[in-house]
Amino acid sequence: MELRVISHPLVDHKLTVLRDRNTEQPIFRRLVEELVTLLAYEATRGVRVHETAIETPVAPTVGTKLDSPAPLVVPILRAGLGMLDGMLRLVPTAEVGFLGMIRDEKTLEPTTYAERLPQDLSGRQCYVLDPMLATGGSLGEAVKFLVGRGADDITCICLLAAPEGIERIQDLLADLDVPCTLVVSAVDERLNDRGFIVPGLGDAGDRLYGLAD
């Protein structure tokens, strides 16, 4: 898996505000969307395109259009939903699938509880959205699920990653003969004993949608 850590002053600024425990929920949501759009700009550098002839008001020329089938964006429920609008702002013609995964708070292992995806993803480029790459289990299983359906090019977009999560997902995907890329705004220090990223930004789902304990 290729790792891309996006270095840009605006990315760093928005991430700093997201980390702040005093950032209110509406601002947090908006900043997640804005940050994802910036990350998606880099994540889609390899999106498949083709040349096409068009007529401008002045003269004929050759431009670029996205290939068909359209890219498939797959947010991992529930926190990944907070990243969807930011991604679609950049790629509005993308199709959207959903994958529901939950992590057992004791074992830290993921379980798939819902999915809404095409049965055949052959020839599809997929973009997986998950705010936090912590233990790496959920994201790794999501990628394997998509490959099992035939996806042949997968890019994962995360706000933050822990070194332990990056190492685990590389191990999980080592045997897959499918190009995979991980795009993040920062790699943090470590995981704590609860499987949370340190310094991180807390539970992204709770900060997006509430329902914290």
Side-chain angles (χ1 to χ4, degrees), residues 1-12:
M1 171 173 278
E2 177 189 355
L3 173 64
R4 297 183 194 169
V5 182
I6 305 306
S7 177
H8 191 283
L10 288 179
V11 170
D12 296 342

Side-chain angles (χ1 to χ4, degrees), residues 7-128:
S7 177
H8 191 283
L10 288 179
V11 170
D12 296 342
H13 167 74
K14 294 177 189 299
L15 180 58
T16 298
V17 181
L18 281 177
R19 291 186 189 273
D20 191 335
R21 66 185 302 169
N22 296 313
T23 297
E24 296 180 352
Q25 190 176 74
I27 296 175
F28 188 91
R29 288 176 179 169
R30 188 180 70 198
L31 283 172
V32 167
E33 293 181 12
E34 293 174 357
L35 183 54
V36 170
T37 300
L38 293 174
L39 296 178
Y41 180 80
E42 294 295 333
T44 54
R45 283 192 179 275
V47 70
R48 294 168 183 161
V49 296
H50 62 273
E51 290 187 346
T52 184
I54 62 168
E55 293 275 349
T56 78
V58 178
T61 189
V62 175
T64 299
K65 284 191 174 182
L66 295 180
D67 277 357
S68 181
L72 182 69
V73 179
V74 184
I76 298 180
L77 305 178
R78 70 177 166 142
L81 283 176
M83 304 172 68
L84 182 58
D85 286 348
M87 184 72 184
L88 293 180
R89 183 174 294 116
L90 192 69
V91 194
T93 57
E95 295 182 358
V96 180
F98 297 94
L99 191 56
M101 308 192 79
I102 190 168
R103 185 177 71 168
D104 186 293
E105 294 304 322
K106 293 182 179 179
T107 67
L108 303 182
E109 293 300 318
T111 300
T112 302
Y113 65 87
E115 62 92 1
R116 183 66 173 173
L117 294 163
Q119 290 297 315
D120 185 5
L121 294 175
S122 300
R124 298 295 291 268
Q125 283 184 296
C126 296
Y127 294 86
V128 182

Side-chain angles (χ1 to χ4, degrees), residues 130-175:
D130 195 12
M132 314 295 283
L133 174 54
T135 63
S138 296
L139 191 60
E141 290 301 320
V143 171
K144 290 168 68 175
F145 189 97
L146 295 175
V147 171
R149 292 280 178 94
D152 65 358
D153 189 293
I154 298 175
T155 299
C156 303
I157 303 175
C158 302
L159 304 181
L160 291 177
E164 297 93 330
I166 294 173
E167 183 177 356
R168 185 177 182 193
I169 197 171
Q170 288 174 332
D171 289 342
L172 286 171
L173 305 182
D175 296 332

